[in-house]
Amino acid sequence: MVGNGLKKLAKENGMNVDKGVAYGSLRGFTATMSEGSGYKQIVFVTSFADLANRSKLMDMVNSMNLKKEYSVRNVGIEAHRIQVLFHDTVGTMKKINGFLDWFIPVLEEYGASHANVCADCGMEVTNGKWLLINGVAYYVHETCGERMKRVIDADNTRKTEEDTGSYLLGTVGALLGAAVGAVVWALVLYVGYVASIVGLLIGFLAEKGYNLLRGKQGKAKILILILAIIFGVLLGTIAVDVAQLAGMISSGELFGWEMSDIPAMLWILFTQDPEYRSATIGNILMGLLFAALGVFALLRQKGKEVAGTKYVELK
């Protein structure tokens, strides 16, 4: 997604907007700009002929307080690209322009490759094509672009063929992991709190369980994890009521009832006590909301992992 601020910056620099990103030459360097909830980012596709210069750049970046100066959350410097993540708030575009005023001369100083260099072969390109690969734009020769697409297709096919996992076993593992998380959810709820971090924990444990039992790494994995998280929230919420009833039976407060009667007691309360039913539904809905808030980023990340590498030609 590209908002008005980034679109304006792109227009000022002669960049294009397509497929939810702004891309092109940003002050002489290949760049992709996009944004999401609470962040804006710029990804430079560039490399260094002298690897020592890349190390020096990393040392410089790590030594500076870019968060305070330019609202930069993180700078990831890899072999062929640099990802700059900004905290998106009031005045972010001014911070981004300030960062570019500082950072572009630094890239020049350390010999980073320019926008007229093919991102694949490293040779000069004058009439190339743009490929958007997993949300990042690459400027390449026509022949290099076709080779890159063939490599991506082959890699995606290889991963699919090598994935011998089972959705059934993965589901079992996810439910077991979510059940462990449900214990923590119940403890937190028992003391009167609902926390999104526990929702993240349920999702994390569900995903761990899925992988431990060798679940298939396909698109259905995300649906299975969602169902497992819902299961974990429901189980944890019900477990609180089970614990409370068990305590009342043990203390003699519910004379004549036994532990084996708890499922029936819960059903009677839910079907015949409107106040209990309303409170239970409210707790479940609140739990699902907080779990969703906590686990959204995790599910998004895992969704990208199982989707494989995606590419599309840009105009």
Side-chain angles (χ1 to χ4, degrees), residues 166-173 224:
S166 163
Y167 282 130
L168 177 60
L169 290 177
T171 300
V172 174
I224 292 170

Side-chain angles (χ1 to χ4, degrees), residues 78-127:
E78 302 174 9
H80 298 288
R81 70 180 197 175
I82 300 172
Q83 180 185 33
V84 187
L85 197 66
F86 299 88
H87 177 65
D88 194 9
T89 185
V90 178
T92 297
M93 291 308 305
K94 183 176 180 181
K95 294 285 188 178
I96 289 177
N97 278 293
F99 173 83
L100 292 173
D101 290 340
W102 167 75
F103 192 61
I104 296 299
V106 170
L107 291 179
E108 295 280 4
E109 179 183 351
Y110 286 101
S113 61
H114 290 86
N116 64 338
V117 174
C118 175
D120 182 53
C121 69
M123 302 299 290
E124 184 177 357
V125 52
T126 54
N127 187 26

